[in-house]
Amino acid sequence: MFHEAGLEPRASFRPSGEEVDGSIWLDGRTYLFEAKWTAASHPASSLYQFKGKIDGKLSGSVGLFFSMSGYSTDAVEALIAGKDLNLVLFDGADVRLLADGGIGIADAIRLKLRAAAESGTPYVTLGDLLSARGTVPSVRTVFVEGRFDQLVIEYLREFRAATLPVKLVASAGPMNMAPMIDAVAQAAEKPISFVAILESDQVGSKAGREVQDLVALVNSVGGSAQMLWIPGTLEECLGLHEPGMRPAWRLHPAQLRNRVATVDLDEQVKNNPGLASVLDAVGISVSTG
């Protein structure tokens, strides 16, 4: 893809003994890139190893990290919390969109770079940015903290036969939610609509305040935004974890699906009434009687 786009790719090389997967030339500057395809999502240590290589190059150098298996929550949040942001991240969904011709690689890099520069997020998917620009049909957009929350909600929608079209966006951690929403809003160049869902431990946190401020700002300029809080954690209020059981967030997706299938959702809502509005936002009907 780099070659076909005229980005003058250079293959793997080893400056000073450290391997770099390659480099490209785009819009008058060089970008280094790393490409990974592993079973597990990439942790913060993997990104910081590559970031260290970038930091040792020409001042202002930027890296492009491609991970087919995505990124752990701590990885993205570590980049946001760091002093300098000089990496932008692509995941498997991004690469598949590129391979399918949904967008060219040069334009994709420009989109990611602009989001990082304007909103401070190293990670927002190309699909979300394109959807905001109107090139992908829009549905109700719901931002959640991470992949675990996204999977649990998808399974609940499946078991409850939810029909309301909903686009669930995993923010790769609460710290990246506001920057990600801001990047989507900037790409849209028009008022947007969304629901942001955070766990209640983020009430009063920097991440929580930033999302609340963004919701207020979007509503003030003609958009439609809503902020909802999950009582405690999603795992707790759905009864997905019991003493002696393996934490639900550590389960393989197939195992997690089986555990979610055992949830008595109506009973859990009775025990955690604040969960009802969250479920309603993602199109899941429950009995509150």
Side-chain angles (χ1 to χ4, degrees), residues 10-13 20-24 31-34 50:
R10 179 176 294 172
S12 177
F13 55 96
V20 175
D21 282 354
S23 67
I24 59 169
Y31 296 85
L32 304 183
F33 68 85
E34 190 90 356
F50 182 51

mmCIF file of all heavy atoms in Angstrom, residues 10-13 20-24 31-34 50:
data_model
loop_
_atom_site.group_PDB
_atom_site.id
_atom_site.type_symbol
_atom_site.label_atom_id
_atom_site.label_comp_id
_atom_site.label_asym_id
_atom_site.label_seq_id
_atom_site.Cartn_x
_atom_site.Cartn_y
_atom_site.Cartn_z
ATOM 1 N N ARG A 10 10.809 2.297 2.721
ATOM 2 C CA ARG A 10 12.096 1.642 2.915
ATOM 3 C C ARG A 10 11.882 0.495 3.880
ATOM 4 O O ARG A 10 11.249 0.672 4.924
ATOM 5 C CB ARG A 10 13.129 2.629 3.460
ATOM 6 C CG ARG A 10 14.498 2.007 3.723
ATOM 7 C CD ARG A 10 15.491 3.058 4.156
ATOM 8 N NE ARG A 10 15.746 4.002 3.070
ATOM 9 C CZ ARG A 10 16.462 5.116 3.199
ATOM 10 N NH1 ARG A 10 16.963 5.440 4.392
ATOM 11 N NH2 ARG A 10 16.655 5.903 2.175
ATOM 12 N N ALA A 11 12.408 -0.672 3.548
ATOM 13 C CA ALA A 11 12.181 -1.864 4.361
ATOM 14 C C ALA A 11 12.982 -1.816 5.653
ATOM 15 O O ALA A 11 13.729 -0.864 5.917
ATOM 16 C CB ALA A 11 12.540 -3.106 3.555
ATOM 17 N N SER A 12 12.813 -2.879 6.445
ATOM 18 C CA SER A 12 13.436 -2.968 7.763
ATOM 19 C C SER A 12 14.910 -2.610 7.737
ATOM 20 O O SER A 12 15.659 -3.039 6.861
ATOM 21 C CB SER A 12 13.259 -4.389 8.301
ATOM 22 O OG SER A 12 13.901 -4.544 9.541
ATOM 23 N N PHE A 13 15.329 -1.798 8.710
ATOM 24 C CA PHE A 13 16.742 -1.441 8.826
ATOM 25 C C PHE A 13 17.112 -1.366 10.296
ATOM 26 O O PHE A 13 16.248 -1.331 11.178
ATOM 27 C CB PHE A 13 17.039 -0.113 8.124
ATOM 28 C CG PHE A 13 16.194 1.049 8.560
ATOM 29 C CD1 PHE A 13 16.633 1.938 9.519
ATOM 30 C CD2 PHE A 13 14.941 1.275 7.977
ATOM 31 C CE1 PHE A 13 15.856 3.017 9.908
ATOM 32 C CE2 PHE A 13 14.166 2.355 8.363
ATOM 33 C CZ PHE A 13 14.620 3.229 9.335
ATOM 34 N N VAL A 20 14.118 -1.168 13.087
ATOM 35 C CA VAL A 20 12.922 -0.399 12.752
ATOM 36 C C VAL A 20 12.296 -1.079 11.542
ATOM 37 O O VAL A 20 12.988 -1.379 10.568
ATOM 38 C CB VAL A 20 13.258 1.073 12.432
ATOM 39 C CG1 VAL A 20 12.012 1.824 11.975
ATOM 40 C CG2 VAL A 20 13.879 1.751 13.646
ATOM 41 N N ASP A 21 10.985 -1.338 11.597
ATOM 42 C CA ASP A 21 10.347 -2.089 10.513
ATOM 43 C C ASP A 21 10.441 -1.381 9.177
ATOM 44 O O ASP A 21 10.518 -2.011 8.131
ATOM 45 C CB ASP A 21 8.873 -2.363 10.854
ATOM 46 C CG ASP A 21 8.730 -3.513 11.845
ATOM 47 O OD1 ASP A 21 9.755 -4.147 12.151
ATOM 48 O OD2 ASP A 21 7.610 -3.762 12.307
ATOM 49 N N GLY A 22 10.414 -0.054 9.188
ATOM 50 C CA GLY A 22 10.531 0.664 7.930
ATOM 51 C C GLY A 22 10.228 2.137 8.074
ATOM 52 O O GLY A 22 9.942 2.629 9.169
ATOM 53 N N SER A 23 10.299 2.836 6.938
ATOM 54 C CA SER A 23 10.002 4.264 6.922
ATOM 55 C C SER A 23 9.303 4.619 5.624
ATOM 56 O O SER A 23 9.391 3.883 4.627
ATOM 57 C CB SER A 23 11.278 5.098 7.067
ATOM 58 O OG SER A 23 12.101 4.953 5.919
ATOM 59 N N ILE A 24 8.588 5.734 5.634
ATOM 60 C CA ILE A 24 7.928 6.253 4.428
ATOM 61 C C ILE A 24 8.168 7.755 4.349
ATOM 62 O O ILE A 24 8.600 8.387 5.320
ATOM 63 C CB ILE A 24 6.407 5.972 4.442
ATOM 64 C CG1 ILE A 24 5.755 6.626 5.668
ATOM 65 C CG2 ILE A 24 6.133 4.487 4.383
ATOM 66 C CD1 ILE A 24 4.236 6.628 5.620
ATOM 67 N N TYR A 31 8.387 9.313 8.090
ATOM 68 C CA TYR A 31 7.712 8.667 9.210
ATOM 69 C C TYR A 31 8.282 7.259 9.359
ATOM 70 O O TYR A 31 8.426 6.534 8.373
ATOM 71 C CB TYR A 31 6.202 8.568 8.970
ATOM 72 C CG TYR A 31 5.505 9.898 8.886
ATOM 73 C CD1 TYR A 31 5.442 10.599 7.677
ATOM 74 C CD2 TYR A 31 4.908 10.465 10.003
ATOM 75 C CE1 TYR A 31 4.811 11.833 7.599
ATOM 76 C CE2 TYR A 31 4.269 11.695 9.932
ATOM 77 C CZ TYR A 31 4.232 12.375 8.728
ATOM 78 O OH TYR A 31 3.608 13.594 8.650
ATOM 79 N N LEU A 32 8.599 6.875 10.576
ATOM 80 C CA LEU A 32 9.010 5.506 10.859
ATOM 81 C C LEU A 32 7.778 4.698 11.232
ATOM 82 O O LEU A 32 6.826 5.232 11.798
ATOM 83 C CB LEU A 32 10.019 5.470 12.009
ATOM 84 C CG LEU A 32 11.287 6.320 11.835
ATOM 85 C CD1 LEU A 32 12.209 6.120 13.022
ATOM 86 C CD2 LEU A 32 11.991 5.996 10.535
ATOM 87 N N PHE A 33 7.785 3.411 10.893
ATOM 88 C CA PHE A 33 6.619 2.604 11.244
ATOM 89 C C PHE A 33 7.016 1.251 11.813
ATOM 90 O O PHE A 33 8.110 0.736 11.566
ATOM 91 C CB PHE A 33 5.672 2.437 10.048
ATOM 92 C CG PHE A 33 6.222 1.597 8.909
ATOM 93 C CD1 PHE A 33 6.119 0.215 8.930
ATOM 94 C CD2 PHE A 33 6.806 2.204 7.808
ATOM 95 C CE1 PHE A 33 6.605 -0.555 7.880
ATOM 96 C CE2 PHE A 33 7.305 1.450 6.752
ATOM 97 C CZ PHE A 33 7.200 0.063 6.784
ATOM 98 N N GLU A 34 6.106 0.702 12.597
ATOM 99 C CA GLU A 34 6.237 -0.620 13.199
ATOM 100 C C GLU A 34 4.959 -1.375 12.886
ATOM 101 O O GLU A 34 3.859 -0.807 12.960
ATOM 102 C CB GLU A 34 6.426 -0.494 14.709
ATOM 103 C CG GLU A 34 6.808 -1.777 15.408
ATOM 104 C CD GLU A 34 8.318 -1.982 15.497
ATOM 105 O OE1 GLU A 34 9.067 -1.150 14.939
ATOM 106 O OE2 GLU A 34 8.733 -2.973 16.111
ATOM 107 N N PHE A 50 8.977 1.216 20.937
ATOM 108 C CA PHE A 50 9.034 1.889 19.639
ATOM 109 C C PHE A 50 9.172 3.393 19.816
ATOM 110 O O PHE A 50 9.926 4.056 19.088
ATOM 111 C CB PHE A 50 7.778 1.561 18.827
ATOM 112 C CG PHE A 50 7.752 2.168 17.450
ATOM 113 C CD1 PHE A 50 8.813 2.027 16.588
ATOM 114 C CD2 PHE A 50 6.642 2.893 17.013
ATOM 115 C CE1 PHE A 50 8.790 2.588 15.309
ATOM 116 C CE2 PHE A 50 6.596 3.446 15.758
ATOM 117 C CZ PHE A 50 7.684 3.294 14.896
#
